[in-house]
Amino acid sequence: MHIKKMFSSLLLAALLVSTAITTVTFADNMDMPPAGPSTHQGPPPEFFEACKGNAAGDSVTLETPHGDTIKAVCEQKDGQLIARPLNPPPPPKDGQEPPEQR
C-alpha cells in the first residue's frame, strides 16, 4: 500500500512539473513574432503611396529597392487605394529570398 501512495505522489509531482513547463513555454511564445525571414505583415507603404492622387483602375508603376519596375493597377481594399501588381512573383519557398520581378 505504501508503494501505491508513493507512486501516486510521484505521478502528481510529474504532472505538476509538466504543466508548469507547458504554461511557461506557451506564455513565452505568445509575444513572439511569427517565424520566418520577415515579420512584415501586409503590403509595403510604397503600394499605398503609388495610388495617391489616382482612382481605382488606374495603372501605376512601382520601383523596387533594387531599381526594378513593377506594373500595377490601383484597387480599393479595406477603404484604401492600393497598387496590385499585374504580374506578382510567386511566393518564396521556405528559406529563400523572393525572386526579382521584371
Side-chain angles (χ1 to χ4, degrees):
M1 190 70 174
H2 181 64
I3 292 177
K4 281 187 177 181
K5 190 173 184 176
M6 188 179 356
F7 180 73
S8 295
S9 295
L10 286 174
L11 186 60
L12 180 60
L15 180 63
L16 290 173
V17 168
S18 65
T19 301
I21 290 171
T22 302
T23 302
V24 168
T25 302
F26 182 73
D28 283 347
N29 289 333
M30 286 181 62
D31 293 331
M32 293 180 64
S38 173
T39 59
H40 177 76
Q41 299 293 319
E46 296 83 13
F47 282 57
F48 295 97
E49 291 289 325
C51 288
K52 281 192 175 175
N54 290 302
D58 287 352
S59 295
V60 293
T61 302
L62 300 163
E63 187 171 331
T64 69
H66 299 290
D68 296 323
T69 57
I70 299 172
K71 292 181 182 178
V73 65
C74 295
E75 67 179 32
Q76 196 76 11
K77 183 175 180 180
D78 298 327
Q80 295 181 308
L81 277 178
I82 183 169
R84 180 181 52 82
L86 295 175
N87 189 17
K93 295 180 182 177
D94 289 339
Q96 291 184 345
E97 291 290 317
E100 289 296 318
Q101 186 169 14
R102 305 213 184 275

